[in-house]
Amino acid sequence: MFHWLWITVWSAIVLPLAALFLSGRVPQWMRRQSTPGGLKVKGIAILVLYVALLIPPVTAMSGMRSEDADFLRMVLVPVAVFGGNGLVLGATLCERFNRRDAERAGSSVVRSTWWEGRA
């Protein structure tokens, strides 16, 4: 029962969130501090994390031998979680470096950050 509940709730929360990021329909403060490409990478990272956290209940319900299921959980879940977090970190760093380079070049196309919009 817990596995079905986990899959249902996790899918109901994370899949719409990933779709919003991939389509760019996020709050204005997120659009100001991020580029459209960065939002798409973060949406892909959310999908990677979605798949990673579905592995434990799926392996438990599949009827696999416990050794095989444990091996899949020990290998795939950490790799996918670190991969998803790495995508988010990479997108964030890329946006910051691009913003810094644009500021140094004196470009007027620099996006403002969320804390600058509140002043």
PDB file of all heavy atoms in Angstrom, residues 16-54:
ATOM      1  N   PRO A  16       3.863  17.670 -12.587  1.00  0.00           N
ATOM      2  CA  PRO A  16       3.445  19.023 -12.973  1.00  0.00           C
ATOM      3  C   PRO A  16       4.538  20.068 -12.750  1.00  0.00           C
ATOM      4  O   PRO A  16       4.679  20.997 -13.546  1.00  0.00           O
ATOM      5  CB  PRO A  16       2.239  19.310 -12.082  1.00  0.00           C
ATOM      6  CG  PRO A  16       1.738  17.981 -11.677  1.00  0.00           C
ATOM      7  CD  PRO A  16       2.939  17.092 -11.610  1.00  0.00           C
ATOM      8  N   LEU A  17       5.318  19.909 -11.690  1.00  0.00           N
ATOM      9  CA  LEU A  17       6.413  20.841 -11.433  1.00  0.00           C
ATOM     10  C   LEU A  17       7.445  20.790 -12.558  1.00  0.00           C
ATOM     11  O   LEU A  17       7.898  21.835 -13.046  1.00  0.00           O
ATOM     12  CB  LEU A  17       7.064  20.520 -10.090  1.00  0.00           C
ATOM     13  CG  LEU A  17       8.195  21.436  -9.641  1.00  0.00           C
ATOM     14  CD1 LEU A  17       7.653  22.829  -9.367  1.00  0.00           C
ATOM     15  CD2 LEU A  17       8.859  20.869  -8.410  1.00  0.00           C
ATOM     16  N   ALA A  18       7.795  19.601 -12.998  1.00  0.00           N
ATOM     17  CA  ALA A  18       8.743  19.464 -14.097  1.00  0.00           C
ATOM     18  C   ALA A  18       8.178  20.045 -15.386  1.00  0.00           C
ATOM     19  O   ALA A  18       8.896  20.703 -16.153  1.00  0.00           O
ATOM     20  CB  ALA A  18       9.111  17.995 -14.293  1.00  0.00           C
ATOM     21  N   ALA A  19       6.897  19.825 -15.633  1.00  0.00           N
ATOM     22  CA  ALA A  19       6.272  20.376 -16.845  1.00  0.00           C
ATOM     23  C   ALA A  19       6.271  21.896 -16.817  1.00  0.00           C
ATOM     24  O   ALA A  19       6.498  22.540 -17.851  1.00  0.00           O
ATOM     25  CB  ALA A  19       4.844  19.847 -16.972  1.00  0.00           C
ATOM     26  N   LEU A  20       6.044  22.481 -15.649  1.00  0.00           N
ATOM     27  CA  LEU A  20       6.085  23.942 -15.543  1.00  0.00           C
ATOM     28  C   LEU A  20       7.479  24.478 -15.819  1.00  0.00           C
ATOM     29  O   LEU A  20       7.641  25.490 -16.507  1.00  0.00           O
ATOM     30  CB  LEU A  20       5.610  24.377 -14.155  1.00  0.00           C
ATOM     31  CG  LEU A  20       4.130  24.191 -13.878  1.00  0.00           C
ATOM     32  CD1 LEU A  20       3.816  24.539 -12.430  1.00  0.00           C
ATOM     33  CD2 LEU A  20       3.303  25.031 -14.815  1.00  0.00           C
ATOM     34  N   PHE A  21       8.491  23.827 -15.294  1.00  0.00           N
ATOM     35  CA  PHE A  21       9.858  24.274 -15.536  1.00  0.00           C
ATOM     36  C   PHE A  21      10.228  24.127 -17.013  1.00  0.00           C
ATOM     37  O   PHE A  21      10.860  24.997 -17.586  1.00  0.00           O
ATOM     38  CB  PHE A  21      10.852  23.501 -14.672  1.00  0.00           C
ATOM     39  CG  PHE A  21      11.132  24.153 -13.357  1.00  0.00           C
ATOM     40  CD1 PHE A  21      10.300  23.943 -12.269  1.00  0.00           C
ATOM     41  CD2 PHE A  21      12.216  24.986 -13.193  1.00  0.00           C
ATOM     42  CE1 PHE A  21      10.556  24.535 -11.053  1.00  0.00           C
ATOM     43  CE2 PHE A  21      12.481  25.590 -11.981  1.00  0.00           C
ATOM     44  CZ  PHE A  21      11.648  25.367 -10.910  1.00  0.00           C
ATOM     45  N   LEU A  22       9.854  23.007 -17.612  1.00  0.00           N
ATOM     46  CA  LEU A  22      10.204  22.784 -19.011  1.00  0.00           C
ATOM     47  C   LEU A  22       9.483  23.756 -19.948  1.00  0.00           C
ATOM     48  O   LEU A  22      10.032  24.148 -20.973  1.00  0.00           O
ATOM     49  CB  LEU A  22       9.889  21.342 -19.414  1.00  0.00           C
ATOM     50  CG  LEU A  22      10.833  20.297 -18.835  1.00  0.00           C
ATOM     51  CD1 LEU A  22      10.313  18.899 -19.103  1.00  0.00           C
ATOM     52  CD2 LEU A  22      12.230  20.469 -19.405  1.00  0.00           C
ATOM     53  N   SER A  23       8.272  24.151 -19.598  1.00  0.00           N
ATOM     54  CA  SER A  23       7.536  25.087 -20.443  1.00  0.00           C
ATOM     55  C   SER A  23       7.862  26.542 -20.121  1.00  0.00           C
ATOM     56  O   SER A  23       7.481  27.435 -20.867  1.00  0.00           O
ATOM     57  CB  SER A  23       6.034  24.855 -20.297  1.00  0.00           C
ATOM     58  OG  SER A  23       5.604  25.188 -19.000  1.00  0.00           O
ATOM     59  N   GLY A  24       8.542  26.794 -19.007  1.00  0.00           N
ATOM     60  CA  GLY A  24       8.902  28.161 -18.634  1.00  0.00           C
ATOM     61  C   GLY A  24       7.810  28.897 -17.889  1.00  0.00           C
ATOM     62  O   GLY A  24       7.886  30.107 -17.715  1.00  0.00           O
ATOM     63  N   ARG A  25       6.785  28.208 -17.447  1.00  0.00           N
ATOM     64  CA  ARG A  25       5.687  28.847 -16.721  1.00  0.00           C
ATOM     65  C   ARG A  25       5.965  28.813 -15.226  1.00  0.00           C
ATOM     66  O   ARG A  25       5.343  28.070 -14.468  1.00  0.00           O
ATOM     67  CB  ARG A  25       4.384  28.144 -17.028  1.00  0.00           C
ATOM     68  CG  ARG A  25       3.994  28.281 -18.465  1.00  0.00           C
ATOM     69  CD  ARG A  25       2.702  27.601 -18.725  1.00  0.00           C
ATOM     70  NE  ARG A  25       2.385  27.729 -20.136  1.00  0.00           N
ATOM     71  CZ  ARG A  25       1.181  27.614 -20.611  1.00  0.00           C
ATOM     72  NH1 ARG A  25       0.185  27.354 -19.812  1.00  0.00           N
ATOM     73  NH2 ARG A  25       0.973  27.731 -21.894  1.00  0.00           N
ATOM     74  N   VAL A  26       6.909  29.607 -14.827  1.00  0.00           N
ATOM     75  CA  VAL A  26       7.305  29.698 -13.429  1.00  0.00           C
ATOM     76  C   VAL A  26       7.027  31.115 -12.950  1.00  0.00           C
ATOM     77  O   VAL A  26       6.763  32.004 -13.757  1.00  0.00           O
ATOM     78  CB  VAL A  26       8.805  29.339 -13.253  1.00  0.00           C
ATOM     79  CG1 VAL A  26       9.046  27.884 -13.586  1.00  0.00           C
ATOM     80  CG2 VAL A  26       9.681  30.216 -14.093  1.00  0.00           C
ATOM     81  N   PRO A  27       7.060  31.352 -11.646  1.00  0.00           N
ATOM     82  CA  PRO A  27       6.815  32.713 -11.146  1.00  0.00           C
ATOM     83  C   PRO A  27       7.810  33.724 -11.727  1.00  0.00           C
ATOM     84  O   PRO A  27       8.915  33.376 -12.148  1.00  0.00           O
ATOM     85  CB  PRO A  27       7.003  32.573  -9.638  1.00  0.00           C
ATOM     86  CG  PRO A  27       6.771  31.140  -9.349  1.00  0.00           C
ATOM     87  CD  PRO A  27       7.225  30.399 -10.553  1.00  0.00           C
ATOM     88  N   GLN A  28       7.391  34.966 -11.732  1.00  0.00           N
ATOM     89  CA  GLN A  28       8.195  36.036 -12.324  1.00  0.00           C
ATOM     90  C   GLN A  28       9.580  36.140 -11.681  1.00  0.00           C
ATOM     91  O   GLN A  28      10.570  36.361 -12.372  1.00  0.00           O
ATOM     92  CB  GLN A  28       7.448  37.374 -12.179  1.00  0.00           C
ATOM     93  CG  GLN A  28       8.157  38.552 -12.809  1.00  0.00           C
ATOM     94  CD  GLN A  28       8.251  38.447 -14.313  1.00  0.00           C
ATOM     95  OE1 GLN A  28       7.398  37.851 -14.956  1.00  0.00           O
ATOM     96  NE2 GLN A  28       9.296  39.004 -14.874  1.00  0.00           N
ATOM     97  N   TRP A  29       9.674  35.964 -10.372  1.00  0.00           N
ATOM     98  CA  TRP A  29      10.972  36.094  -9.717  1.00  0.00           C
ATOM     99  C   TRP A  29      11.925  35.002 -10.174  1.00  0.00           C
ATOM    100  O   TRP A  29      13.137  35.215 -10.224  1.00  0.00           O
ATOM    101  CB  TRP A  29      10.836  36.113  -8.193  1.00  0.00           C
ATOM    102  CG  TRP A  29      10.291  34.862  -7.593  1.00  0.00           C
ATOM    103  CD1 TRP A  29       8.979  34.581  -7.353  1.00  0.00           C
ATOM    104  CD2 TRP A  29      11.024  33.729  -7.146  1.00  0.00           C
ATOM    105  NE1 TRP A  29       8.856  33.331  -6.788  1.00  0.00           N
ATOM    106  CE2 TRP A  29      10.094  32.790  -6.652  1.00  0.00           C
ATOM    107  CE3 TRP A  29      12.372  33.414  -7.118  1.00  0.00           C
ATOM    108  CZ2 TRP A  29      10.482  31.571  -6.139  1.00  0.00           C
ATOM    109  CZ3 TRP A  29      12.746  32.199  -6.599  1.00  0.00           C
ATOM    110  CH2 TRP A  29      11.807  31.290  -6.124  1.00  0.00           C
ATOM    111  N   MET A  30      11.411  33.829 -10.543  1.00  0.00           N
ATOM    112  CA  MET A  30      12.282  32.770 -11.052  1.00  0.00           C
ATOM    113  C   MET A  30      12.721  33.074 -12.477  1.00  0.00           C
ATOM    114  O   MET A  30      13.847  32.766 -12.864  1.00  0.00           O
ATOM    115  CB  MET A  30      11.568  31.423 -11.007  1.00  0.00           C
ATOM    116  CG  MET A  30      11.393  30.885  -9.618  1.00  0.00           C
ATOM    117  SD  MET A  30      10.579  29.306  -9.643  1.00  0.00           S
ATOM    118  CE  MET A  30      12.001  28.254  -9.550  1.00  0.00           C
ATOM    119  N   ARG A  31      11.838  33.668 -13.266  1.00  0.00           N
ATOM    120  CA  ARG A  31      12.218  34.028 -14.633  1.00  0.00           C
ATOM    121  C   ARG A  31      13.249  35.138 -14.650  1.00  0.00           C
ATOM    122  O   ARG A  31      14.089  35.197 -15.540  1.00  0.00           O
ATOM    123  CB  ARG A  31      10.986  34.452 -15.427  1.00  0.00           C
ATOM    124  CG  ARG A  31      10.204  33.277 -15.949  1.00  0.00           C
ATOM    125  CD  ARG A  31       9.090  33.771 -16.795  1.00  0.00           C
ATOM    126  NE  ARG A  31       8.154  34.454 -15.904  1.00  0.00           N
ATOM    127  CZ  ARG A  31       6.850  34.450 -16.037  1.00  0.00           C
ATOM    128  NH1 ARG A  31       6.314  33.844 -17.043  1.00  0.00           N
ATOM    129  NH2 ARG A  31       6.084  35.063 -15.183  1.00  0.00           N
ATOM    130  N   ARG A  32      13.184  36.039 -13.673  1.00  0.00           N
ATOM    131  CA  ARG A  32      14.155  37.133 -13.632  1.00  0.00           C
ATOM    132  C   ARG A  32      15.552  36.636 -13.295  1.00  0.00           C
ATOM    133  O   ARG A  32      16.531  37.160 -13.796  1.00  0.00           O
ATOM    134  CB  ARG A  32      13.734  38.180 -12.594  1.00  0.00           C
ATOM    135  CG  ARG A  32      12.746  39.172 -13.105  1.00  0.00           C
ATOM    136  CD  ARG A  32      12.669  40.370 -12.178  1.00  0.00           C
ATOM    137  NE  ARG A  32      12.490  40.005 -10.781  1.00  0.00           N
ATOM    138  CZ  ARG A  32      11.347  40.093 -10.126  1.00  0.00           C
ATOM    139  NH1 ARG A  32      10.272  40.527 -10.728  1.00  0.00           N
ATOM    140  NH2 ARG A  32      11.274  39.754  -8.861  1.00  0.00           N
ATOM    141  N   GLN A  33      15.649  35.648 -12.427  1.00  0.00           N
ATOM    142  CA  GLN A  33      16.971  35.208 -11.997  1.00  0.00           C
ATOM    143  C   GLN A  33      17.506  34.044 -12.815  1.00  0.00           C
ATOM    144  O   GLN A  33      18.618  33.593 -12.586  1.00  0.00           O
ATOM    145  CB  GLN A  33      16.973  34.861 -10.514  1.00  0.00           C
ATOM    146  CG  GLN A  33      16.377  33.521 -10.179  1.00  0.00           C
ATOM    147  CD  GLN A  33      16.438  33.239  -8.703  1.00  0.00           C
ATOM    148  OE1 GLN A  33      16.199  34.125  -7.905  1.00  0.00           O
ATOM    149  NE2 GLN A  33      16.753  32.030  -8.333  1.00  0.00           N
ATOM    150  N   SER A  34      16.738  33.544 -13.775  1.00  0.00           N
ATOM    151  CA  SER A  34      17.172  32.397 -14.545  1.00  0.00           C
ATOM    152  C   SER A  34      16.885  32.625 -16.024  1.00  0.00           C
ATOM    153  O   SER A  34      16.002  33.392 -16.388  1.00  0.00           O
ATOM    154  CB  SER A  34      16.431  31.148 -14.061  1.00  0.00           C
ATOM    155  OG  SER A  34      16.937  30.009 -14.680  1.00  0.00           O
ATOM    156  N   THR A  35      17.634  31.953 -16.870  1.00  0.00           N
ATOM    157  CA  THR A  35      17.413  32.026 -18.310  1.00  0.00           C
ATOM    158  C   THR A  35      16.444  30.922 -18.723  1.00  0.00           C
ATOM    159  O   THR A  35      16.262  29.954 -17.987  1.00  0.00           O
ATOM    160  CB  THR A  35      18.742  31.859 -19.064  1.00  0.00           C
ATOM    161  OG1 THR A  35      19.282  30.569 -18.747  1.00  0.00           O
ATOM    162  CG2 THR A  35      19.738  32.937 -18.676  1.00  0.00           C
ATOM    163  N   PRO A  36      15.844  31.031 -19.897  1.00  0.00           N
ATOM    164  CA  PRO A  36      14.960  29.950 -20.351  1.00  0.00           C
ATOM    165  C   PRO A  36      15.681  28.607 -20.462  1.00  0.00           C
ATOM    166  O   PRO A  36      15.117  27.566 -20.121  1.00  0.00           O
ATOM    167  CB  PRO A  36      14.474  30.442 -21.715  1.00  0.00           C
ATOM    168  CG  PRO A  36      14.576  31.919 -21.647  1.00  0.00           C
ATOM    169  CD  PRO A  36      15.766  32.193 -20.785  1.00  0.00           C
ATOM    170  N   GLY A  37      16.911  28.622 -20.924  1.00  0.00           N
ATOM    171  CA  GLY A  37      17.682  27.380 -20.998  1.00  0.00           C
ATOM    172  C   GLY A  37      17.972  26.808 -19.623  1.00  0.00           C
ATOM    173  O   GLY A  37      17.934  25.592 -19.426  1.00  0.00           O
ATOM    174  N   GLY A  38      18.250  27.665 -18.671  1.00  0.00           N
ATOM    175  CA  GLY A  38      18.484  27.210 -17.301  1.00  0.00           C
ATOM    176  C   GLY A  38      17.250  26.590 -16.685  1.00  0.00           C
ATOM    177  O   GLY A  38      17.331  25.602 -15.953  1.00  0.00           O
ATOM    178  N   LEU A  39      16.077  27.160 -16.993  1.00  0.00           N
ATOM    179  CA  LEU A  39      14.834  26.584 -16.487  1.00  0.00           C
ATOM    180  C   LEU A  39      14.583  25.211 -17.091  1.00  0.00           C
ATOM    181  O   LEU A  39      14.102  24.303 -16.418  1.00  0.00           O
ATOM    182  CB  LEU A  39      13.656  27.513 -16.791  1.00  0.00           C
ATOM    183  CG  LEU A  39      13.612  28.814 -15.995  1.00  0.00           C
ATOM    184  CD1 LEU A  39      12.482  29.701 -16.488  1.00  0.00           C
ATOM    185  CD2 LEU A  39      13.471  28.537 -14.520  1.00  0.00           C
ATOM    186  N   LYS A  40      14.910  25.035 -18.356  1.00  0.00           N
ATOM    187  CA  LYS A  40      14.727  23.732 -18.993  1.00  0.00           C
ATOM    188  C   LYS A  40      15.658  22.685 -18.391  1.00  0.00           C
ATOM    189  O   LYS A  40      15.256  21.540 -18.161  1.00  0.00           O
ATOM    190  CB  LYS A  40      14.943  23.843 -20.491  1.00  0.00           C
ATOM    191  CG  LYS A  40      13.821  24.571 -21.206  1.00  0.00           C
ATOM    192  CD  LYS A  40      13.972  24.497 -22.686  1.00  0.00           C
ATOM    193  CE  LYS A  40      13.054  25.377 -23.444  1.00  0.00           C
ATOM    194  NZ  LYS A  40      11.705  25.460 -23.096  1.00  0.00           N
ATOM    195  N   VAL A  41      16.901  23.079 -18.124  1.00  0.00           N
ATOM    196  CA  VAL A  41      17.837  22.139 -17.496  1.00  0.00           C
ATOM    197  C   VAL A  41      17.348  21.761 -16.102  1.00  0.00           C
ATOM    198  O   VAL A  41      17.423  20.594 -15.698  1.00  0.00           O
ATOM    199  CB  VAL A  41      19.261  22.738 -17.447  1.00  0.00           C
ATOM    200  CG1 VAL A  41      20.186  21.881 -16.612  1.00  0.00           C
ATOM    201  CG2 VAL A  41      19.813  22.899 -18.853  1.00  0.00           C
ATOM    202  N   LYS A  42      16.819  22.714 -15.372  1.00  0.00           N
ATOM    203  CA  LYS A  42      16.282  22.416 -14.051  1.00  0.00           C
ATOM    204  C   LYS A  42      15.041  21.523 -14.147  1.00  0.00           C
ATOM    205  O   LYS A  42      14.830  20.665 -13.295  1.00  0.00           O
ATOM    206  CB  LYS A  42      15.966  23.708 -13.309  1.00  0.00           C
ATOM    207  CG  LYS A  42      17.234  24.464 -12.930  1.00  0.00           C
ATOM    208  CD  LYS A  42      16.939  25.806 -12.323  1.00  0.00           C
ATOM    209  CE  LYS A  42      18.241  26.549 -12.077  1.00  0.00           C
ATOM    210  NZ  LYS A  42      18.035  27.905 -11.616  1.00  0.00           N
ATOM    211  N   GLY A  43      14.235  21.683 -15.189  1.00  0.00           N
ATOM    212  CA  GLY A  43      13.098  20.795 -15.404  1.00  0.00           C
ATOM    213  C   GLY A  43      13.545  19.376 -15.701  1.00  0.00           C
ATOM    214  O   GLY A  43      12.952  18.406 -15.213  1.00  0.00           O
ATOM    215  N   ILE A  44      14.614  19.232 -16.485  1.00  0.00           N
ATOM    216  CA  ILE A  44      15.165  17.906 -16.760  1.00  0.00           C
ATOM    217  C   ILE A  44      15.718  17.296 -15.479  1.00  0.00           C
ATOM    218  O   ILE A  44      15.557  16.100 -15.223  1.00  0.00           O
ATOM    219  CB  ILE A  44      16.224  17.987 -17.864  1.00  0.00           C
ATOM    220  CG1 ILE A  44      15.558  18.356 -19.193  1.00  0.00           C
ATOM    221  CG2 ILE A  44      16.993  16.683 -17.998  1.00  0.00           C
ATOM    222  CD1 ILE A  44      16.511  18.726 -20.294  1.00  0.00           C
ATOM    223  N   ALA A  45      16.351  18.114 -14.650  1.00  0.00           N
ATOM    224  CA  ALA A  45      16.878  17.626 -13.372  1.00  0.00           C
ATOM    225  C   ALA A  45      15.746  17.142 -12.465  1.00  0.00           C
ATOM    226  O   ALA A  45      15.892  16.131 -11.768  1.00  0.00           O
ATOM    227  CB  ALA A  45      17.675  18.725 -12.677  1.00  0.00           C
ATOM    228  N   ILE A  46      14.624  17.827 -12.491  1.00  0.00           N
ATOM    229  CA  ILE A  46      13.478  17.389 -11.695  1.00  0.00           C
ATOM    230  C   ILE A  46      12.988  16.032 -12.190  1.00  0.00           C
ATOM    231  O   ILE A  46      12.644  15.150 -11.394  1.00  0.00           O
ATOM    232  CB  ILE A  46      12.353  18.445 -11.739  1.00  0.00           C
ATOM    233  CG1 ILE A  46      12.794  19.705 -10.983  1.00  0.00           C
ATOM    234  CG2 ILE A  46      11.062  17.902 -11.148  1.00  0.00           C
ATOM    235  CD1 ILE A  46      11.867  20.879 -11.148  1.00  0.00           C
ATOM    236  N   LEU A  47      12.980  15.832 -13.507  1.00  0.00           N
ATOM    237  CA  LEU A  47      12.573  14.528 -14.045  1.00  0.00           C
ATOM    238  C   LEU A  47      13.561  13.427 -13.659  1.00  0.00           C
ATOM    239  O   LEU A  47      13.158  12.291 -13.383  1.00  0.00           O
ATOM    240  CB  LEU A  47      12.436  14.606 -15.564  1.00  0.00           C
ATOM    241  CG  LEU A  47      11.227  15.382 -16.072  1.00  0.00           C
ATOM    242  CD1 LEU A  47      11.261  15.479 -17.585  1.00  0.00           C
ATOM    243  CD2 LEU A  47       9.944  14.746 -15.601  1.00  0.00           C
ATOM    244  N   VAL A  48      14.845  13.741 -13.634  1.00  0.00           N
ATOM    245  CA  VAL A  48      15.848  12.755 -13.215  1.00  0.00           C
ATOM    246  C   VAL A  48      15.624  12.375 -11.753  1.00  0.00           C
ATOM    247  O   VAL A  48      15.667  11.195 -11.393  1.00  0.00           O
ATOM    248  CB  VAL A  48      17.279  13.300 -13.442  1.00  0.00           C
ATOM    249  CG1 VAL A  48      18.322  12.433 -12.763  1.00  0.00           C
ATOM    250  CG2 VAL A  48      17.572  13.421 -14.929  1.00  0.00           C
ATOM    251  N   LEU A  49      15.363  13.355 -10.909  1.00  0.00           N
ATOM    252  CA  LEU A  49      15.081  13.071  -9.504  1.00  0.00           C
ATOM    253  C   LEU A  49      13.770  12.303  -9.343  1.00  0.00           C
ATOM    254  O   LEU A  49      13.646  11.441  -8.467  1.00  0.00           O
ATOM    255  CB  LEU A  49      15.042  14.362  -8.697  1.00  0.00           C
ATOM    256  CG  LEU A  49      16.378  15.084  -8.557  1.00  0.00           C
ATOM    257  CD1 LEU A  49      16.180  16.452  -7.919  1.00  0.00           C
ATOM    258  CD2 LEU A  49      17.346  14.259  -7.766  1.00  0.00           C
ATOM    259  N   TYR A  50      12.795  12.585 -10.199  1.00  0.00           N
ATOM    260  CA  TYR A  50      11.531  11.851 -10.172  1.00  0.00           C
ATOM    261  C   TYR A  50      11.771  10.362 -10.419  1.00  0.00           C
ATOM    262  O   TYR A  50      11.290   9.510  -9.678  1.00  0.00           O
ATOM    263  CB  TYR A  50      10.588  12.434 -11.227  1.00  0.00           C
ATOM    264  CG  TYR A  50       9.356  11.608 -11.475  1.00  0.00           C
ATOM    265  CD1 TYR A  50       8.311  11.597 -10.559  1.00  0.00           C
ATOM    266  CD2 TYR A  50       9.223  10.848 -12.626  1.00  0.00           C
ATOM    267  CE1 TYR A  50       7.183  10.836 -10.778  1.00  0.00           C
ATOM    268  CE2 TYR A  50       8.101  10.097 -12.857  1.00  0.00           C
ATOM    269  CZ  TYR A  50       7.079  10.092 -11.938  1.00  0.00           C
ATOM    270  OH  TYR A  50       5.967   9.332 -12.168  1.00  0.00           O
ATOM    271  N   VAL A  51      12.547  10.071 -11.461  1.00  0.00           N
ATOM    272  CA  VAL A  51      12.833   8.670 -11.781  1.00  0.00           C
ATOM    273  C   VAL A  51      13.655   8.023 -10.669  1.00  0.00           C
ATOM    274  O   VAL A  51      13.410   6.868 -10.292  1.00  0.00           O
ATOM    275  CB  VAL A  51      13.560   8.575 -13.141  1.00  0.00           C
ATOM    276  CG1 VAL A  51      14.079   7.175 -13.386  1.00  0.00           C
ATOM    277  CG2 VAL A  51      12.626   8.999 -14.262  1.00  0.00           C
ATOM    278  N   ALA A  52      14.607   8.770 -10.124  1.00  0.00           N
ATOM    279  CA  ALA A  52      15.473   8.211  -9.080  1.00  0.00           C
ATOM    280  C   ALA A  52      14.666   7.789  -7.857  1.00  0.00           C
ATOM    281  O   ALA A  52      14.925   6.732  -7.274  1.00  0.00           O
ATOM    282  CB  ALA A  52      16.525   9.224  -8.673  1.00  0.00           C
ATOM    283  N   LEU A  53      13.705   8.588  -7.473  1.00  0.00           N
ATOM    284  CA  LEU A  53      12.956   8.268  -6.262  1.00  0.00           C
ATOM    285  C   LEU A  53      11.753   7.368  -6.524  1.00  0.00           C
ATOM    286  O   LEU A  53      11.021   7.029  -5.591  1.00  0.00           O
ATOM    287  CB  LEU A  53      12.553   9.554  -5.547  1.00  0.00           C
ATOM    288  CG  LEU A  53      13.770  10.307  -4.988  1.00  0.00           C
ATOM    289  CD1 LEU A  53      13.347  11.600  -4.335  1.00  0.00           C
ATOM    290  CD2 LEU A  53      14.547   9.458  -4.014  1.00  0.00           C
ATOM    291  N   LEU A  54      11.581   6.947  -7.774  1.00  0.00           N
ATOM    292  CA  LEU A  54      10.593   5.909  -8.059  1.00  0.00           C
ATOM    293  C   LEU A  54      11.232   4.519  -8.088  1.00  0.00           C
ATOM    294  O   LEU A  54      10.519   3.519  -8.080  1.00  0.00           O
ATOM    295  CB  LEU A  54       9.916   6.165  -9.406  1.00  0.00           C
ATOM    296  CG  LEU A  54       8.799   7.183  -9.408  1.00  0.00           C
ATOM    297  CD1 LEU A  54       8.167   7.239 -10.785  1.00  0.00           C
ATOM    298  CD2 LEU A  54       7.754   6.882  -8.374  1.00  0.00           C
TER     299      LEU A  54
END
